[in-house]
Amino acid sequence: MDTKIITIDNIEKESYKLREAANILKNNGIVAFPTETVYGLGGNAFSEEAIRKIFLAKGRPSDNPLIVHISDVKKLKKLVKNVPPVAEVLIQKFWPGPLTLIFEKLDSIPYSVTGGLDTVAIRMPSHEIARELISLSGLPIAAPSANLSGKPSPTNGDHVIKDLNGRVDAIVCGGDSDVGLESTVLDISGEIPVILRPGGITMEEISAVIGQVEIDPHIISDANVIPKAPGMKYTHYSPNAELVIFTGEEKEVVNRINLISERLMKSNKKVGIMTCNENLDLYNGNEVLSLGSKLDYCEIARNLFFTLRKFDDLYVDVILSEAFELSGIGSAIMNRLKKASGNNIIEL
Ligand code: TXA
Ligand code: MG
């Protein structure tokens, strides 16, 4: 398949370029586009044909449901049975933005979108290109992250081109994603809202607005708990290299990473080390990359998937990484690192 690449540097001047992409969506084709979290691969949420194409292009298991993206809150009532009061408050505060809410679905949403569930995940992105594209299409747009299934989510157009060129109808390239991690998925169907996936909006921010919030036990424990977000049970975000995370006292982490790195390099392995600006000079590896300052976790989050993909481009065999604190967006960072490493965590 020929993939049309559409590059937008300035949405105010170039929004006309999105007309072609919107037409593809109207004709049940699939289009990758930037959002503030990560790039998404969109298709008409009412169309079985478009949904089938999305799953096929990504190689995604069919029981892993998609998030439906809207550009106008008014469209919500065409998709969901009811909007509980707690949702109204959250929408008022966090939409548009990186918060996905789970509602009871109407029959208009096919079960192929929801992986057979009676609920549907909805989000209104804040990225101008995403909003303009959705609005031009006049459709709710089902969109998973625009990576091949299992790979780190894409945070720029080049990542998407690498994974999906030739597999989708069009790719809209529009710079770097600002958040760098996916949206927070919040289930509001029970009495106490539950975070099914930590993400761009933190637990602290949510509870400041609505009070008590719980976190799906699957996210915090390694025990055999079945996750409520079906997607969370799959291997995810994995670079080609083996990834190992080290937690514990900082000095010990640095020493242990250097010790293992030296051993691996002696046995001719190419070693990548993932750290923060403050510790960059303390390490000895073939490729030492910083995610940003440890005083700015938003920067660390923004660079995480980018850096995992960068290590792949550098063909390292092993990535040894520092861990991060679990507060604020740190819990989303650690959730992605855990999954990317297949729970390969060494506690010192
Ligand atoms: O930031 C994001 O959310 C990005 C951008 C493109 O918007 N999208 C994204 O989609 O991350 P995806 O498909 O990679 O992840 C969707 C997550 C999965 O963990 C899935 O299981 C969960 O949302 N999910 C979707 N519908 C659900 C539902 N009805 N109930 C529970 N979890 C659901
Ligand atoms: Mg994804």
Side-chain angles (χ1 to χ4, degrees):
M1 172 193 298
D2 257 357
T3 300
K4 170 102 191 170
I5 309 287
I6 301 166
T7 302
I8 298 191
D9 296 318
N10 181 336
I11 180 67
E12 249 122 67
K13 292 191 184 133
E14 298 171 296
S15 68
Y16 66 92
K17 289 188 181 171
L18 288 176
R19 274 184 227 138
E20 187 178 359
N23 282 334
I24 294 173
L25 291 170
K26 283 185 201 166
N27 289 315
N28 300 328
I30 54 174
V31 177
F33 60 94
T35 87
E36 72 281 14
T37 57
V38 300
Y39 275 63
L41 174 59
N44 176 0
F46 293 144
S47 158
E48 299 274 6
E49 183 193 346
I51 303 309
R52 211 170 32 245
K53 287 181 186 167
I54 290 175
F55 279 95
L56 191 69
K58 275 185 63 95
R60 179 176 173 112
S62 64
D63 67 343
N64 188 2
L66 309 180
I67 296 171
V68 176
H69 296 65
I70 55 174
S71 60
D72 181 352
V73 177
K74 285 192 216 107
K75 298 283 160 78
L76 201 52
K77 58 178 183 295
K78 290 193 175 148
L79 311 172
V80 310
K81 274 200 181 141
N82 68 317
V83 179
V86 67
E88 307 251 13
V89 178
L90 290 164
I91 287 169
Q92 178 73 24
K93 177 76 186 172
F94 297 114
W95 281 10
L99 178 68
T100 294
L101 298 172
I102 310 283
F103 299 88
E104 271 183 79
K105 80 173 193 70
L106 284 178
D107 291 341
S108 57
I109 300 283
Y111 279 110
S112 53
V113 170
T114 69
L117 299 173
D118 289 317
T119 52
V120 60
I122 315 249
R123 138 170 150 81
M124 182 156 101
S126 62
H127 197 290
E128 282 186 70
I129 295 179
R131 299 188 51 166
E132 182 70 16
L133 177 63
I134 297 165
S135 154
L136 281 174
S137 76
L139 294 164
I141 298 298
S145 48
N147 50 286
L148 285 175
S149 201
K151 292 278 133 210
S153 299
T155 57
N156 65 35
D158 288 344
H159 294 163
V160 183
I161 290 172
K162 194 155 194 192
D163 276 17
L164 297 181
N165 198 13
R167 302 175 73 91
V168 302
D169 296 296
I171 298 173
V172 180
C173 299
D176 296 332
S177 291
D178 193 41
V179 179
L181 297 179
E182 302 85 346
S183 62
T184 304
V185 178
L186 188 70
D187 183 357
I188 43 170
S189 63
E191 222 162 85
I192 299 168
V194 184
I195 292 179
L196 306 184
R197 178 179 72 180
I201 301 287
T202 65
M203 182 167 185
E204 292 87 340
E205 286 173 291
I206 295 171
S207 81
V209 177
I210 56 165
Q212 202 182 355
V213 182
E214 283 174 355
I215 187 146
D216 186 355
H218 165 80
I219 293 165
I220 28 186
S221 102
D222 300 331
N224 237 348
V225 186
I226 297 172
K228 272 188 85 185
M232 298 304 278
K233 69 175 179 280
Y234 291 107
T235 317
H236 261 321
Y237 322 118
S238 307
N240 297 329
E242 185 188 356
L243 171 63
V244 193
I245 318 294
F246 295 79
T247 71
E249 206 264 311
E250 193 164 80
K251 240 188 182 157
E252 273 187 62
V253 167
V254 173
N255 289 341
R256 182 68 70 90
I257 287 182
N258 277 332
L259 190 75
I260 295 178
S261 170
E262 270 154 40
R263 268 192 222 146
L264 287 167
M265 287 194 293
K266 264 192 201 135
S267 58
N268 282 328
K269 296 279 186 211
K270 188 167 182 189
V271 179
I273 296 177
M274 195 154 74
T275 176
C276 53
N277 293 350
E278 289 81 357
N279 296 346
L280 201 55
D281 295 336
L282 304 180
Y283 286 109
N284 184 14
N286 299 100
E287 304 288 350
V288 184
L289 300 181
S290 169
L291 292 169
S293 168
K294 66 179 170 190
L295 302 177
D296 182 359
Y297 269 30
C298 288
E299 186 185 16
I300 305 262
R302 188 179 307 126
N303 291 324
L304 180 63
F305 289 141
F306 176 89
T307 307
L308 288 175
R309 280 179 178 262
K310 177 106 196 200
F311 279 121
D312 275 349
D313 294 342
L314 294 166
Y315 295 104
V316 301
D317 298 302
V318 183
I319 305 166
L320 308 174
S321 177
E322 291 178 352
F324 297 89
E325 304 288 332
L326 281 172
S327 59
I329 198 153
S331 66
I333 294 171
M334 281 310 292
N335 170 263
R336 304 310 191 269
L337 272 178
K338 269 183 164 184
K339 293 193 135 283
S341 71
N343 257 328
N344 201 352
I345 299 176
I346 296 181
E347 288 173 32
L348 301 174

